[in-house]
Amino acid sequence: MSTDGLRVEMRVTEPGHCTPARAARTAGASVDAVSRTVDDGRLVQEFTLRGDAEEIRECAAPADDIEPVFEWEEGVRYRERGVDESACVCGVLSEFGYPLDDISADDDAVRLSFFTPDADRLEEVVEVLRSRFGGVAVVGLERDCDLTDHDPVAVDRAELTDRQREVLETAFEMGYFETPKRANAGEVAEELGVALSTACEHLATAQRTVLSMVLDSD
């Protein structure tokens, strides 16, 4: 059976109960680095509001179930626990079982990319989305994508300690994992207020834990 398919880029101006989109509109900012994991059986979503952190704090009043987890001069990262996908665009993609490749938002619309096996399946998805949401438009298509390259894995955050999560999130936001790096381990340790050896130990343990979940997953 062929695994080739389509990579779809879509724009949705009325995405329903989409927390990143709502936050982007409230703050008048852009959202990126949206990630989803499973923690203690609940779906957890994180996203970064880009812009001046002080202005974002003043404009974006998060709901009770959303908490800021990290802040730096270029933005604020938020976490939402117990995400209800049923009222969100992403929930439709989950229903179809299609891999979500990327999602971002600004005060105008949600933009997401995902993979479908063929044009007929894409038509089905668009039809369902348009029956539930407004302003649904396909803005890009990439053909002959190998879907075997996209194998989503749920990472259970409960396997990490609170401190390990904090170190990973700080390192990620500071650009420790980028190429070239925007921050080294010493700078991450300084930001956290811990010794370099402590930061390195937490980073190594956390990365090993996450990789073991990904590589050992069925």
Side-chain angles (χ1 to χ4, degrees):
M1 180 179 67
S2 172
T3 56
D4 289 345
L6 298 173
R7 182 180 184 274
V8 183
E9 295 182 12
M10 184 171 286
R11 182 175 179 271
V12 184
T13 58
E14 299 176 26
H17 184 74
C18 176
T19 301
R22 188 174 70 243
R25 286 174 174 171
T26 302
S30 63
V31 165
D32 60 15
V34 181
S35 65
R36 290 183 164 194
T37 57
V38 177
D39 187 4
D40 196 23
R42 295 190 300 170
L43 184 60
V44 178
Q45 176 173 251
E46 292 190 1
F47 57 91
T48 297
L49 270 172
R50 298 284 179 180
D52 182 83
E54 184 174 351
E55 292 183 1
I56 288 176
R57 286 199 313 273
E58 293 176 354
C59 297
D64 292 338
D65 56 348
I66 303 173
E67 58 177 324
V69 293
F70 183 75
E71 178 181 316
W72 77 117
E73 61 182 7
E74 297 178 1
V76 181
R77 187 157 183 83
Y78 290 96
R79 177 182 300 148
E80 177 186 17
R81 298 184 181 275
V83 178
D84 179 11
E85 282 195 317
S86 63
C88 179
V89 171
C90 298
V92 174
L93 300 180
S94 295
E95 292 172 11
F96 277 90
Y98 295 155
L100 181 63
D101 184 48
D102 188 37
I103 177 172
S104 61
D106 54 30
D107 58 358
D108 181 48
V110 169
R111 292 170 177 78
L112 60 157
S113 59
F114 58 95
F115 297 87
T116 66
D118 50 50
D120 289 338
R121 302 292 179 85
L122 172 58
E123 187 175 345
E124 293 178 14
V125 174
V126 172
E127 183 177 347
V128 172
L129 286 173
R130 285 177 174 165
S131 70
R132 302 186 189 180
F133 309 100
V136 177
V138 175
V139 296
L141 284 176
E142 182 180 348
R143 297 184 180 277
D144 300 324
C145 299
D146 187 353
L147 299 185
T148 58
D149 289 341
H150 301 273
D151 182 17
V153 175
V155 175
D156 189 351
R157 292 165 53 92
E159 295 293 327
L160 298 171
T161 66
D162 290 341
R163 190 56 165 166
Q164 288 168 356
R165 294 182 199 178
E166 181 185 14
V167 173
L168 272 184
E169 289 165 356
T170 301
F172 179 82
E173 296 295 348
M174 293 182 67
Y176 175 81
F177 297 104
E178 295 179 11
T179 303
K181 291 179 183 291
R182 289 194 292 112
N184 57 38
E187 291 169 326
V188 173
E190 183 178 354
E191 177 69 24
L192 291 165
V194 299
L196 174 60
S197 59
T198 301
C200 289
E201 180 181 355
H202 283 311
L203 275 171
T205 303
Q207 290 179 83
R208 185 166 57 250
T209 300
V210 171
L211 285 173
S212 67
M213 285 187 279
V214 173
L215 297 177
D216 291 345
S217 174
D218 294 328

PDB file of all heavy atoms in Angstrom, residues 17-56:
ATOM      1  N   HIS A  17     -13.244  26.856  19.882  1.00  0.00           N
ATOM      2  CA  HIS A  17     -12.598  27.033  21.180  1.00  0.00           C
ATOM      3  C   HIS A  17     -11.127  26.622  21.072  1.00  0.00           C
ATOM      4  O   HIS A  17     -10.704  25.570  21.552  1.00  0.00           O
ATOM      5  CB  HIS A  17     -13.299  26.189  22.239  1.00  0.00           C
ATOM      6  CG  HIS A  17     -12.745  26.398  23.622  1.00  0.00           C
ATOM      7  ND1 HIS A  17     -12.997  27.538  24.362  1.00  0.00           N
ATOM      8  CD2 HIS A  17     -11.937  25.621  24.387  1.00  0.00           C
ATOM      9  CE1 HIS A  17     -12.363  27.440  25.520  1.00  0.00           C
ATOM     10  NE2 HIS A  17     -11.718  26.299  25.564  1.00  0.00           N
ATOM     11  N   CYS A  18     -10.358  27.474  20.418  1.00  0.00           N
ATOM     12  CA  CYS A  18      -8.922  27.220  20.230  1.00  0.00           C
ATOM     13  C   CYS A  18      -8.160  28.179  21.137  1.00  0.00           C
ATOM     14  O   CYS A  18      -8.132  29.390  20.902  1.00  0.00           O
ATOM     15  CB  CYS A  18      -8.530  27.433  18.774  1.00  0.00           C
ATOM     16  SG  CYS A  18      -6.767  27.253  18.446  1.00  0.00           S
ATOM     17  N   THR A  19      -7.559  27.644  22.188  1.00  0.00           N
ATOM     18  CA  THR A  19      -6.895  28.495  23.176  1.00  0.00           C
ATOM     19  C   THR A  19      -5.766  29.334  22.590  1.00  0.00           C
ATOM     20  O   THR A  19      -5.683  30.536  22.868  1.00  0.00           O
ATOM     21  CB  THR A  19      -6.369  27.649  24.341  1.00  0.00           C
ATOM     22  OG1 THR A  19      -7.465  26.954  24.945  1.00  0.00           O
ATOM     23  CG2 THR A  19      -5.697  28.522  25.390  1.00  0.00           C
ATOM     24  N   PRO A  20      -4.850  28.760  21.781  1.00  0.00           N
ATOM     25  CA  PRO A  20      -3.791  29.598  21.198  1.00  0.00           C
ATOM     26  C   PRO A  20      -4.349  30.747  20.362  1.00  0.00           C
ATOM     27  O   PRO A  20      -3.849  31.869  20.437  1.00  0.00           O
ATOM     28  CB  PRO A  20      -3.003  28.607  20.334  1.00  0.00           C
ATOM     29  CG  PRO A  20      -3.213  27.289  20.984  1.00  0.00           C
ATOM     30  CD  PRO A  20      -4.632  27.337  21.465  1.00  0.00           C
ATOM     31  N   ALA A  21      -5.402  30.475  19.588  1.00  0.00           N
ATOM     32  CA  ALA A  21      -5.993  31.539  18.762  1.00  0.00           C
ATOM     33  C   ALA A  21      -6.629  32.607  19.635  1.00  0.00           C
ATOM     34  O   ALA A  21      -6.488  33.814  19.373  1.00  0.00           O
ATOM     35  CB  ALA A  21      -7.029  30.940  17.821  1.00  0.00           C
ATOM     36  N   ARG A  22      -7.332  32.187  20.678  1.00  0.00           N
ATOM     37  CA  ARG A  22      -7.972  33.142  21.576  1.00  0.00           C
ATOM     38  C   ARG A  22      -6.931  34.020  22.272  1.00  0.00           C
ATOM     39  O   ARG A  22      -7.110  35.232  22.408  1.00  0.00           O
ATOM     40  CB  ARG A  22      -8.807  32.394  22.617  1.00  0.00           C
ATOM     41  CG  ARG A  22      -9.658  33.323  23.472  1.00  0.00           C
ATOM     42  CD  ARG A  22     -10.588  32.549  24.387  1.00  0.00           C
ATOM     43  NE  ARG A  22      -9.877  31.854  25.441  1.00  0.00           N
ATOM     44  CZ  ARG A  22      -9.860  30.530  25.593  1.00  0.00           C
ATOM     45  NH1 ARG A  22     -10.524  29.758  24.752  1.00  0.00           N
ATOM     46  NH2 ARG A  22      -9.205  29.972  26.590  1.00  0.00           N
ATOM     47  N   ALA A  23      -5.830  33.381  22.691  1.00  0.00           N
ATOM     48  CA  ALA A  23      -4.768  34.136  23.358  1.00  0.00           C
ATOM     49  C   ALA A  23      -4.115  35.126  22.401  1.00  0.00           C
ATOM     50  O   ALA A  23      -3.798  36.259  22.787  1.00  0.00           O
ATOM     51  CB  ALA A  23      -3.730  33.173  23.920  1.00  0.00           C
ATOM     52  N   ALA A  24      -3.915  34.697  21.153  1.00  0.00           N
ATOM     53  CA  ALA A  24      -3.298  35.583  20.159  1.00  0.00           C
ATOM     54  C   ALA A  24      -4.171  36.806  19.909  1.00  0.00           C
ATOM     55  O   ALA A  24      -3.685  37.935  19.810  1.00  0.00           O
ATOM     56  CB  ALA A  24      -3.064  34.820  18.864  1.00  0.00           C
ATOM     57  N   ARG A  25      -5.485  36.587  19.820  1.00  0.00           N
ATOM     58  CA  ARG A  25      -6.396  37.708  19.567  1.00  0.00           C
ATOM     59  C   ARG A  25      -6.466  38.646  20.768  1.00  0.00           C
ATOM     60  O   ARG A  25      -6.510  39.867  20.621  1.00  0.00           O
ATOM     61  CB  ARG A  25      -7.777  37.169  19.222  1.00  0.00           C
ATOM     62  CG  ARG A  25      -7.832  36.574  17.821  1.00  0.00           C
ATOM     63  CD  ARG A  25      -9.155  35.913  17.508  1.00  0.00           C
ATOM     64  NE  ARG A  25      -9.203  35.488  16.121  1.00  0.00           N
ATOM     65  CZ  ARG A  25     -10.160  34.731  15.604  1.00  0.00           C
ATOM     66  NH1 ARG A  25     -11.154  34.306  16.368  1.00  0.00           N
ATOM     67  NH2 ARG A  25     -10.132  34.401  14.337  1.00  0.00           N
ATOM     68  N   THR A  26      -6.495  38.077  21.957  1.00  0.00           N
ATOM     69  CA  THR A  26      -6.577  38.900  23.168  1.00  0.00           C
ATOM     70  C   THR A  26      -5.344  39.783  23.325  1.00  0.00           C
ATOM     71  O   THR A  26      -5.443  40.959  23.676  1.00  0.00           O
ATOM     72  CB  THR A  26      -6.730  38.013  24.416  1.00  0.00           C
ATOM     73  OG1 THR A  26      -7.900  37.209  24.283  1.00  0.00           O
ATOM     74  CG2 THR A  26      -6.831  38.851  25.674  1.00  0.00           C
ATOM     75  N   ALA A  27      -4.178  39.193  23.055  1.00  0.00           N
ATOM     76  CA  ALA A  27      -2.922  39.918  23.256  1.00  0.00           C
ATOM     77  C   ALA A  27      -2.501  40.710  22.031  1.00  0.00           C
ATOM     78  O   ALA A  27      -1.587  41.533  22.117  1.00  0.00           O
ATOM     79  CB  ALA A  27      -1.813  38.934  23.628  1.00  0.00           C
ATOM     80  N   GLY A  28      -3.150  40.457  20.879  1.00  0.00           N
ATOM     81  CA  GLY A  28      -2.720  41.101  19.654  1.00  0.00           C
ATOM     82  C   GLY A  28      -1.320  40.675  19.279  1.00  0.00           C
ATOM     83  O   GLY A  28      -0.513  41.455  18.767  1.00  0.00           O
ATOM     84  N   ALA A  29      -1.017  39.406  19.524  1.00  0.00           N
ATOM     85  CA  ALA A  29       0.329  38.877  19.298  1.00  0.00           C
ATOM     86  C   ALA A  29       0.252  37.624  18.446  1.00  0.00           C
ATOM     87  O   ALA A  29      -0.832  37.185  18.053  1.00  0.00           O
ATOM     88  CB  ALA A  29       1.005  38.570  20.636  1.00  0.00           C
ATOM     89  N   SER A  30       1.389  37.037  18.185  1.00  0.00           N
ATOM     90  CA  SER A  30       1.427  35.795  17.429  1.00  0.00           C
ATOM     91  C   SER A  30       1.760  34.636  18.364  1.00  0.00           C
ATOM     92  O   SER A  30       2.395  34.815  19.401  1.00  0.00           O
ATOM     93  CB  SER A  30       2.467  35.869  16.307  1.00  0.00           C
ATOM     94  OG  SER A  30       3.771  36.040  16.851  1.00  0.00           O
ATOM     95  N   VAL A  31       1.299  33.462  17.989  1.00  0.00           N
ATOM     96  CA  VAL A  31       1.534  32.249  18.773  1.00  0.00           C
ATOM     97  C   VAL A  31       2.313  31.256  17.929  1.00  0.00           C
ATOM     98  O   VAL A  31       2.029  31.074  16.744  1.00  0.00           O
ATOM     99  CB  VAL A  31       0.194  31.610  19.204  1.00  0.00           C
ATOM    100  CG1 VAL A  31       0.400  30.192  19.699  1.00  0.00           C
ATOM    101  CG2 VAL A  31      -0.462  32.437  20.298  1.00  0.00           C
ATOM    102  N   ASP A  32       3.308  30.624  18.543  1.00  0.00           N
ATOM    103  CA  ASP A  32       4.000  29.539  17.853  1.00  0.00           C
ATOM    104  C   ASP A  32       4.472  28.525  18.886  1.00  0.00           C
ATOM    105  O   ASP A  32       4.105  28.579  20.062  1.00  0.00           O
ATOM    106  CB  ASP A  32       5.168  30.052  17.006  1.00  0.00           C
ATOM    107  CG  ASP A  32       6.238  30.781  17.824  1.00  0.00           C
ATOM    108  OD1 ASP A  32       6.240  30.660  19.069  1.00  0.00           O
ATOM    109  OD2 ASP A  32       7.082  31.477  17.231  1.00  0.00           O
ATOM    110  N   ALA A  33       5.271  27.575  18.440  1.00  0.00           N
ATOM    111  CA  ALA A  33       5.810  26.518  19.311  1.00  0.00           C
ATOM    112  C   ALA A  33       4.694  25.821  20.079  1.00  0.00           C
ATOM    113  O   ALA A  33       4.824  25.541  21.274  1.00  0.00           O
ATOM    114  CB  ALA A  33       6.869  27.078  20.268  1.00  0.00           C
ATOM    115  N   VAL A  34       3.591  25.533  19.384  1.00  0.00           N
ATOM    116  CA  VAL A  34       2.480  24.827  20.021  1.00  0.00           C
ATOM    117  C   VAL A  34       2.837  23.351  20.132  1.00  0.00           C
ATOM    118  O   VAL A  34       3.247  22.726  19.164  1.00  0.00           O
ATOM    119  CB  VAL A  34       1.176  24.982  19.210  1.00  0.00           C
ATOM    120  CG1 VAL A  34       0.022  24.252  19.898  1.00  0.00           C
ATOM    121  CG2 VAL A  34       0.834  26.464  19.037  1.00  0.00           C
ATOM    122  N   SER A  35       2.708  22.795  21.319  1.00  0.00           N
ATOM    123  CA  SER A  35       3.017  21.382  21.528  1.00  0.00           C
ATOM    124  C   SER A  35       1.935  20.742  22.376  1.00  0.00           C
ATOM    125  O   SER A  35       1.275  21.407  23.175  1.00  0.00           O
ATOM    126  CB  SER A  35       4.379  21.218  22.206  1.00  0.00           C
ATOM    127  OG  SER A  35       4.350  21.766  23.512  1.00  0.00           O
ATOM    128  N   ARG A  36       1.758  19.435  22.201  1.00  0.00           N
ATOM    129  CA  ARG A  36       0.756  18.693  22.962  1.00  0.00           C
ATOM    130  C   ARG A  36       1.365  17.406  23.487  1.00  0.00           C
ATOM    131  O   ARG A  36       2.063  16.706  22.755  1.00  0.00           O
ATOM    132  CB  ARG A  36      -0.455  18.375  22.087  1.00  0.00           C
ATOM    133  CG  ARG A  36      -1.283  19.608  21.746  1.00  0.00           C
ATOM    134  CD  ARG A  36      -2.505  19.267  20.947  1.00  0.00           C
ATOM    135  NE  ARG A  36      -3.452  20.357  20.960  1.00  0.00           N
ATOM    136  CZ  ARG A  36      -4.714  20.253  20.567  1.00  0.00           C
ATOM    137  NH1 ARG A  36      -5.168  19.093  20.133  1.00  0.00           N
ATOM    138  NH2 ARG A  36      -5.516  21.290  20.605  1.00  0.00           N
ATOM    139  N   THR A  37       1.096  17.123  24.749  1.00  0.00           N
ATOM    140  CA  THR A  37       1.575  15.904  25.382  1.00  0.00           C
ATOM    141  C   THR A  37       0.466  15.352  26.276  1.00  0.00           C
ATOM    142  O   THR A  37      -0.563  15.997  26.479  1.00  0.00           O
ATOM    143  CB  THR A  37       2.828  16.166  26.243  1.00  0.00           C
ATOM    144  OG1 THR A  37       2.525  17.171  27.226  1.00  0.00           O
ATOM    145  CG2 THR A  37       3.992  16.627  25.391  1.00  0.00           C
ATOM    146  N   VAL A  38       0.689  14.153  26.788  1.00  0.00           N
ATOM    147  CA  VAL A  38      -0.243  13.539  27.727  1.00  0.00           C
ATOM    148  C   VAL A  38       0.401  13.532  29.104  1.00  0.00           C
ATOM    149  O   VAL A  38       1.523  13.063  29.262  1.00  0.00           O
ATOM    150  CB  VAL A  38      -0.604  12.103  27.303  1.00  0.00           C
ATOM    151  CG1 VAL A  38      -1.524  11.460  28.337  1.00  0.00           C
ATOM    152  CG2 VAL A  38      -1.265  12.111  25.939  1.00  0.00           C
ATOM    153  N   ASP A  39      -0.295  14.066  30.090  1.00  0.00           N
ATOM    154  CA  ASP A  39       0.224  14.132  31.454  1.00  0.00           C
ATOM    155  C   ASP A  39      -0.853  13.608  32.396  1.00  0.00           C
ATOM    156  O   ASP A  39      -1.927  14.212  32.507  1.00  0.00           O
ATOM    157  CB  ASP A  39       0.597  15.573  31.805  1.00  0.00           C
ATOM    158  CG  ASP A  39       1.300  15.683  33.151  1.00  0.00           C
ATOM    159  OD1 ASP A  39       1.559  14.624  33.766  1.00  0.00           O
ATOM    160  OD2 ASP A  39       1.591  16.808  33.589  1.00  0.00           O
ATOM    161  N   ASP A  40      -0.581  12.483  33.035  1.00  0.00           N
ATOM    162  CA  ASP A  40      -1.519  11.894  33.985  1.00  0.00           C
ATOM    163  C   ASP A  40      -2.890  11.659  33.338  1.00  0.00           C
ATOM    164  O   ASP A  40      -3.934  11.903  33.939  1.00  0.00           O
ATOM    165  CB  ASP A  40      -1.660  12.796  35.215  1.00  0.00           C
ATOM    166  CG  ASP A  40      -2.306  12.078  36.403  1.00  0.00           C
ATOM    167  OD1 ASP A  40      -2.242  10.831  36.443  1.00  0.00           O
ATOM    168  OD2 ASP A  40      -2.872  12.761  37.270  1.00  0.00           O
ATOM    169  N   GLY A  41      -2.857  11.195  32.096  1.00  0.00           N
ATOM    170  CA  GLY A  41      -4.084  10.866  31.394  1.00  0.00           C
ATOM    171  C   GLY A  41      -4.824  12.047  30.793  1.00  0.00           C
ATOM    172  O   GLY A  41      -5.875  11.872  30.176  1.00  0.00           O
ATOM    173  N   ARG A  42      -4.298  13.259  30.959  1.00  0.00           N
ATOM    174  CA  ARG A  42      -4.955  14.443  30.409  1.00  0.00           C
ATOM    175  C   ARG A  42      -4.100  15.047  29.301  1.00  0.00           C
ATOM    176  O   ARG A  42      -2.875  15.002  29.341  1.00  0.00           O
ATOM    177  CB  ARG A  42      -5.179  15.492  31.498  1.00  0.00           C
ATOM    178  CG  ARG A  42      -6.137  15.076  32.587  1.00  0.00           C
ATOM    179  CD  ARG A  42      -6.483  16.267  33.474  1.00  0.00           C
ATOM    180  NE  ARG A  42      -5.304  16.840  34.106  1.00  0.00           N
ATOM    181  CZ  ARG A  42      -5.313  18.002  34.771  1.00  0.00           C
ATOM    182  NH1 ARG A  42      -6.425  18.717  34.833  1.00  0.00           N
ATOM    183  NH2 ARG A  42      -4.220  18.449  35.346  1.00  0.00           N
ATOM    184  N   LEU A  43      -4.776  15.596  28.297  1.00  0.00           N
ATOM    185  CA  LEU A  43      -4.077  16.256  27.212  1.00  0.00           C
ATOM    186  C   LEU A  43      -3.612  17.632  27.667  1.00  0.00           C
ATOM    187  O   LEU A  43      -4.407  18.436  28.160  1.00  0.00           O
ATOM    188  CB  LEU A  43      -4.997  16.393  25.994  1.00  0.00           C
ATOM    189  CG  LEU A  43      -4.366  17.000  24.734  1.00  0.00           C
ATOM    190  CD1 LEU A  43      -3.203  16.141  24.257  1.00  0.00           C
ATOM    191  CD2 LEU A  43      -5.408  17.132  23.632  1.00  0.00           C
ATOM    192  N   VAL A  44      -2.315  17.891  27.522  1.00  0.00           N
ATOM    193  CA  VAL A  44      -1.724  19.160  27.946  1.00  0.00           C
ATOM    194  C   VAL A  44      -1.191  19.883  26.719  1.00  0.00           C
ATOM    195  O   VAL A  44      -0.495  19.305  25.893  1.00  0.00           O
ATOM    196  CB  VAL A  44      -0.579  18.940  28.955  1.00  0.00           C
ATOM    197  CG1 VAL A  44       0.059  20.264  29.341  1.00  0.00           C
ATOM    198  CG2 VAL A  44      -1.092  18.220  30.194  1.00  0.00           C
ATOM    199  N   GLN A  45      -1.535  21.145  26.604  1.00  0.00           N
ATOM    200  CA  GLN A  45      -1.105  21.957  25.476  1.00  0.00           C
ATOM    201  C   GLN A  45      -0.259  23.116  25.964  1.00  0.00           C
ATOM    202  O   GLN A  45      -0.581  23.753  26.961  1.00  0.00           O
ATOM    203  CB  GLN A  45      -2.338  22.492  24.740  1.00  0.00           C
ATOM    204  CG  GLN A  45      -2.044  23.426  23.596  1.00  0.00           C
ATOM    205  CD  GLN A  45      -3.309  23.762  22.815  1.00  0.00           C
ATOM    206  OE1 GLN A  45      -3.479  23.318  21.689  1.00  0.00           O
ATOM    207  NE2 GLN A  45      -4.199  24.545  23.404  1.00  0.00           N
ATOM    208  N   GLU A  46       0.827  23.382  25.258  1.00  0.00           N
ATOM    209  CA  GLU A  46       1.658  24.538  25.565  1.00  0.00           C
ATOM    210  C   GLU A  46       1.846  25.373  24.309  1.00  0.00           C
ATOM    211  O   GLU A  46       1.850  24.845  23.198  1.00  0.00           O
ATOM    212  CB  GLU A  46       3.014  24.106  26.119  1.00  0.00           C
ATOM    213  CG  GLU A  46       2.946  23.456  27.485  1.00  0.00           C
ATOM    214  CD  GLU A  46       4.317  23.259  28.107  1.00  0.00           C
ATOM    215  OE1 GLU A  46       5.311  23.657  27.459  1.00  0.00           O
ATOM    216  OE2 GLU A  46       4.391  22.718  29.217  1.00  0.00           O
ATOM    217  N   PHE A  47       1.973  26.678  24.496  1.00  0.00           N
ATOM    218  CA  PHE A  47       2.193  27.561  23.363  1.00  0.00           C
ATOM    219  C   PHE A  47       2.915  28.807  23.843  1.00  0.00           C
ATOM    220  O   PHE A  47       2.889  29.143  25.036  1.00  0.00           O
ATOM    221  CB  PHE A  47       0.867  27.943  22.688  1.00  0.00           C
ATOM    222  CG  PHE A  47      -0.127  28.599  23.601  1.00  0.00           C
ATOM    223  CD1 PHE A  47      -0.157  29.983  23.744  1.00  0.00           C
ATOM    224  CD2 PHE A  47      -1.031  27.839  24.321  1.00  0.00           C
ATOM    225  CE1 PHE A  47      -1.072  30.589  24.585  1.00  0.00           C
ATOM    226  CE2 PHE A  47      -1.960  28.440  25.166  1.00  0.00           C
ATOM    227  CZ  PHE A  47      -1.976  29.814  25.296  1.00  0.00           C
ATOM    228  N   THR A  48       3.570  29.480  22.910  1.00  0.00           N
ATOM    229  CA  THR A  48       4.328  30.685  23.237  1.00  0.00           C
ATOM    230  C   THR A  48       3.700  31.897  22.561  1.00  0.00           C
ATOM    231  O   THR A  48       3.469  31.891  21.353  1.00  0.00           O
ATOM    232  CB  THR A  48       5.792  30.556  22.767  1.00  0.00           C
ATOM    233  OG1 THR A  48       6.415  29.472  23.463  1.00  0.00           O
ATOM    234  CG2 THR A  48       6.568  31.831  23.053  1.00  0.00           C
ATOM    235  N   LEU A  49       3.385  32.905  23.358  1.00  0.00           N
ATOM    236  CA  LEU A  49       2.927  34.196  22.841  1.00  0.00           C
ATOM    237  C   LEU A  49       4.164  35.061  22.639  1.00  0.00           C
ATOM    238  O   LEU A  49       4.904  35.330  23.590  1.00  0.00           O
ATOM    239  CB  LEU A  49       1.973  34.864  23.830  1.00  0.00           C
ATOM    240  CG  LEU A  49       0.488  34.564  23.683  1.00  0.00           C
ATOM    241  CD1 LEU A  49      -0.280  35.145  24.865  1.00  0.00           C
ATOM    242  CD2 LEU A  49      -0.059  35.123  22.386  1.00  0.00           C
ATOM    243  N   ARG A  50       4.385  35.473  21.406  1.00  0.00           N
ATOM    244  CA  ARG A  50       5.574  36.246  21.079  1.00  0.00           C
ATOM    245  C   ARG A  50       5.315  37.739  21.211  1.00  0.00           C
ATOM    246  O   ARG A  50       4.288  38.246  20.772  1.00  0.00           O
ATOM    247  CB  ARG A  50       6.014  35.943  19.646  1.00  0.00           C
ATOM    248  CG  ARG A  50       6.401  34.495  19.403  1.00  0.00           C
ATOM    249  CD  ARG A  50       7.754  34.183  19.983  1.00  0.00           C
ATOM    250  NE  ARG A  50       8.118  32.780  19.760  1.00  0.00           N
ATOM    251  CZ  ARG A  50       9.254  32.246  20.166  1.00  0.00           C
ATOM    252  NH1 ARG A  50      10.142  32.995  20.804  1.00  0.00           N
ATOM    253  NH2 ARG A  50       9.516  30.969  19.953  1.00  0.00           N
ATOM    254  N   GLY A  51       6.263  38.419  21.793  1.00  0.00           N
ATOM    255  CA  GLY A  51       6.163  39.868  21.941  1.00  0.00           C
ATOM    256  C   GLY A  51       6.742  40.306  23.269  1.00  0.00           C
ATOM    257  O   GLY A  51       7.345  39.510  23.995  1.00  0.00           O
ATOM    258  N   ASP A  52       6.577  41.558  23.588  1.00  0.00           N
ATOM    259  CA  ASP A  52       7.066  42.084  24.850  1.00  0.00           C
ATOM    260  C   ASP A  52       6.326  41.422  26.006  1.00  0.00           C
ATOM    261  O   ASP A  52       5.093  41.480  26.079  1.00  0.00           O
ATOM    262  CB  ASP A  52       6.861  43.596  24.897  1.00  0.00           C
ATOM    263  CG  ASP A  52       7.400  44.195  26.187  1.00  0.00           C
ATOM    264  OD1 ASP A  52       8.611  44.458  26.260  1.00  0.00           O
ATOM    265  OD2 ASP A  52       6.590  44.370  27.124  1.00  0.00           O
ATOM    266  N   ALA A  53       7.066  40.767  26.884  1.00  0.00           N
ATOM    267  CA  ALA A  53       6.457  39.975  27.952  1.00  0.00           C
ATOM    268  C   ALA A  53       5.557  40.819  28.851  1.00  0.00           C
ATOM    269  O   ALA A  53       4.471  40.383  29.251  1.00  0.00           O
ATOM    270  CB  ALA A  53       7.545  39.292  28.783  1.00  0.00           C
ATOM    271  N   GLU A  54       5.974  42.042  29.171  1.00  0.00           N
ATOM    272  CA  GLU A  54       5.174  42.896  30.050  1.00  0.00           C
ATOM    273  C   GLU A  54       3.849  43.270  29.391  1.00  0.00           C
ATOM    274  O   GLU A  54       2.791  43.247  30.034  1.00  0.00           O
ATOM    275  CB  GLU A  54       5.963  44.160  30.404  1.00  0.00           C
ATOM    276  CG  GLU A  54       5.246  45.051  31.403  1.00  0.00           C
ATOM    277  CD  GLU A  54       6.098  46.228  31.850  1.00  0.00           C
ATOM    278  OE1 GLU A  54       7.312  46.236  31.509  1.00  0.00           O
ATOM    279  OE2 GLU A  54       5.568  47.114  32.529  1.00  0.00           O
ATOM    280  N   GLU A  55       3.910  43.586  28.100  1.00  0.00           N
ATOM    281  CA  GLU A  55       2.680  43.936  27.389  1.00  0.00           C
ATOM    282  C   GLU A  55       1.753  42.727  27.290  1.00  0.00           C
ATOM    283  O   GLU A  55       0.529  42.857  27.409  1.00  0.00           O
ATOM    284  CB  GLU A  55       3.013  44.456  25.993  1.00  0.00           C
ATOM    285  CG  GLU A  55       3.721  45.798  25.992  1.00  0.00           C
ATOM    286  CD  GLU A  55       3.976  46.309  24.591  1.00  0.00           C
ATOM    287  OE1 GLU A  55       3.569  45.614  23.629  1.00  0.00           O
ATOM    288  OE2 GLU A  55       4.587  47.378  24.444  1.00  0.00           O
ATOM    289  N   ILE A  56       2.322  41.554  27.068  1.00  0.00           N
ATOM    290  CA  ILE A  56       1.512  40.348  26.969  1.00  0.00           C
ATOM    291  C   ILE A  56       0.814  40.075  28.298  1.00  0.00           C
ATOM    292  O   ILE A  56      -0.365  39.719  28.335  1.00  0.00           O
ATOM    293  CB  ILE A  56       2.385  39.154  26.552  1.00  0.00           C
ATOM    294  CG1 ILE A  56       2.779  39.283  25.078  1.00  0.00           C
ATOM    295  CG2 ILE A  56       1.649  37.830  26.798  1.00  0.00           C
ATOM    296  CD1 ILE A  56       3.723  38.219  24.596  1.00  0.00           C
TER     297      ILE A  56
END
